[in-house]
Amino acid sequence: IWIKIFIRDPVYQRELFHLGGVKILSQNLRSVTRDYLNFEDEVMGIEVLKVMTNIFQKLCVEPSQRLWLIAYNVPHSLVLLLCARDLSVLNCALYALIDLA
């Protein structure tokens, strides 16, 4: 959750991209999405998915960063979350996809 505080600052966002942190976050999003959709770790998965989709939504603000998010296949995980059973996860995924467009 500490990353949500840092992600608001554009300097930290650039560093996160530069150090490969966004690639790792996108891999984690893919993994948590898969587990959530397979009914594994649903309670914890919901909270993690809400936080992660909010992080990606904030990263979409800068147009140049959107290209990286697309390259890391973030939209694929977000689209899969459109069939989320939890409304808050669905809402977060929709907002992230809208900002990514």
Side-chain angles (χ1 to χ4, degrees), residues 2-100:
W2 57 268
I3 196 168
K4 284 177 63 175
I5 296 168
F6 290 114
I7 209 69
R8 294 179 184 151
D9 187 340
V11 174
Y12 287 113
Q13 287 183 8
R14 285 191 294 276
E15 281 301 309
L16 188 64
F17 274 94
H18 177 70
L19 297 173
V22 174
K23 183 177 183 179
I24 293 168
L25 279 175
S26 67
Q27 292 168 347
N28 286 341
L29 177 64
R30 191 174 314 122
S31 175
V32 173
T33 298
R34 183 188 63 239
D35 291 347
Y36 171 75
L37 293 176
N38 289 328
F39 298 98
E40 299 171 15
D41 197 20
E42 190 167 351
V43 174
M44 181 67 166
I46 289 170
E47 294 306 314
V48 172
L49 284 170
K50 287 192 293 189
V51 170
M52 293 184 83
T53 53
N54 283 327
I55 289 170
F56 284 113
Q57 184 181 0
K58 288 174 180 52
L59 292 174
C60 292
V61 172
E62 180 65 37
S64 63
Q65 294 176 171
R66 291 181 197 146
L67 297 175
W68 284 104
L69 295 175
I70 292 168
Y72 292 143
N73 213 15
V74 171
H76 181 262
S77 297
L78 295 173
V79 167
L80 288 175
L81 289 173
L82 293 179
C83 65
R85 298 172 299 280
D86 183 82
L87 287 179
S88 58
V89 172
L90 175 61
N91 188 34
C92 291
L94 279 171
Y95 276 113
L97 281 169
I98 288 168
D99 287 345
L100 193 57

